[in-house]
Amino acid sequence: MASAELMRLWKLNQVDVGLVEVRLKAANLDVGKKIAAEMAELKKQDDEIGGKARKLQADLTDLEIMQKGIDEKIKRIDKQLFGGTIVNPREVENLEKEIAALKRQRDATDAKILQLWEVLPPAKEAAGKLDAQIAEKQKQLAERKKAALVERTALEAEFARLNKLRPEVVKGIGPGLMNKYEGIRQRMGGVGMAEVTRRHTCSGCGTIIAARSVQSLTEDKVVTCESCHKILYYTEGVV
Ligand SMILES: [Zn+2]
């Protein structure tokens, strides 16, 4: 069996391993970067596809306004012609010519409008599909951010709990062993201890522990792994 001091140190190590895990989880917290990137890609597509639909719609509106303007002009000239005020044949002829020109203009506008009626619905549908996809991504992103906030709060609570626990666990560990442990911990990314497995390997790095080291461990001596230099914790195969 490990000495009482080493057992305390092992407990401290478990607290420190917990702190390392919490830090790692906090650093790797998924705040929706992937979803945001996918949304940015969709928005880029929308600039093109949605932009095309918006342009076609604007063209159609322009043509419809133009069509209305032409109709009004024709109506106005018709009124003049049949109002009985114009009697000069030359003037009548001119107005009739003007009406004929306006009607040609109207036919051309009608043809363009018909063309737009064909291409606008599919363009609008494609843009609408993209808009729906973007809205869905936005929803996903908001949900992920909300979940990340909950996860972060939980991690912060766990971090505070472990930090509060630490001074309690440190009690009963001599300064010599404590200094050694802290030195290793600092060099080894926050973890200063490793368990010896049943097959007498270091759980930290997998190195086989020499028989003489195992012997020392059974004598309650402080032994470090030859390879990763962590303090070994040995429970004679109990664990
Ligand atoms: Zn090791």
Side-chain angles (χ1 to χ4, degrees):
M1 270 310 274
S3 70
E5 193 186 25
L6 265 175
M7 278 167 78
R8 286 198 188 96
L9 191 69
W10 180 245
K11 253 191 177 165
L12 176 63
N13 174 69
Q14 282 168 316
V15 170
D16 287 338
V17 166
L19 285 167
V20 168
E21 277 173 5
V22 167
R23 275 202 200 95
L24 194 70
K25 278 182 190 164
N28 292 319
L29 205 63
D30 179 8
V31 290
K33 264 189 189 168
K34 193 174 161 262
I35 300 170
E38 286 164 355
M39 197 164 78
E41 183 54 41
L42 285 172
K43 279 187 173 168
K44 224 164 82 185
Q45 285 178 38
D46 185 57
D47 281 346
E48 197 186 314
I49 293 169
K52 191 181 152 198
R54 285 187 287 274
K55 166 90 173 57
L56 291 173
Q57 178 61 63
D59 288 350
L60 180 63
T61 307
D62 285 349
L63 285 167
E64 281 168 349
I65 290 168
M66 206 189 280
Q67 196 184 43
K68 218 175 145 197
I70 295 167
D71 284 347
E72 276 164 10
K73 269 188 199 167
I74 293 172
K75 238 175 166 178
R76 215 166 41 233
I77 298 168
D78 266 346
K79 235 181 180 174
Q80 276 180 285
L81 270 177
F82 301 106
T85 48
I86 298 160
V87 285
N88 184 334
R90 187 88 180 247
E91 222 175 318
V92 169
E93 194 186 331
N94 278 343
L95 286 175
E96 275 170 348
K97 269 186 189 164
E98 208 180 320
I99 283 185
L102 282 168
K103 280 187 173 163
R104 280 196 299 276
Q105 214 183 322
R106 198 195 191 283
D107 285 348
T109 310
D110 284 350
K112 280 183 196 162
I113 286 175
L114 280 176
Q115 262 179 355
L116 281 175
W117 279 354
E118 292 230 339
V119 292
L120 188 57
K124 267 187 172 172
E125 200 192 326
K129 264 186 197 162
L130 258 180
D131 285 345
Q133 279 176 303
I134 290 169
E136 174 60 26
K137 283 279 173 233
Q138 240 151 5
K139 205 176 116 197
Q140 281 176 13
L141 187 62
E143 276 166 7
R144 182 81 289 261
K145 278 186 175 167
K146 213 167 127 188
L149 196 69
V150 172
E151 286 161 20
R152 188 179 293 282
T153 306
L155 287 173
E156 277 167 1
E158 178 64 358
F159 194 76
R161 186 188 74 82
L162 290 170
N163 260 329
K164 208 175 148 194
L165 194 66
R166 207 172 184 273
E168 202 57 45
V169 182
V170 166
K171 280 178 195 164
I173 303 168
L177 184 60
M178 196 62 200
N179 278 340
K180 192 180 173 76
Y181 170 77
E182 288 292 10
I184 296 163
R185 203 164 77 86
Q186 267 168 30
R187 287 196 304 277
M188 299 306 296
V191 178
M193 246 185 141
E195 208 168 0
V196 177
T197 67
R198 283 173 199 223
R199 289 163 53 230
H200 288 181
T201 61
C202 166
S203 64
C205 68
T207 298
I208 295 166
I209 310 296
R212 62 175 190 285
S213 294
V214 176
Q215 180 60 37
S216 296
L217 284 165
T218 57
E219 291 161 9
D220 275 357
K221 286 178 183 152
V222 174
V223 180
T224 55
C225 170
E226 278 175 36
S227 180
C228 71
H229 308 297
K230 285 177 184 164
I231 296 169
L232 293 171
Y233 184 62
Y234 184 57
T235 48
E236 286 174 317
V238 174
V239 186

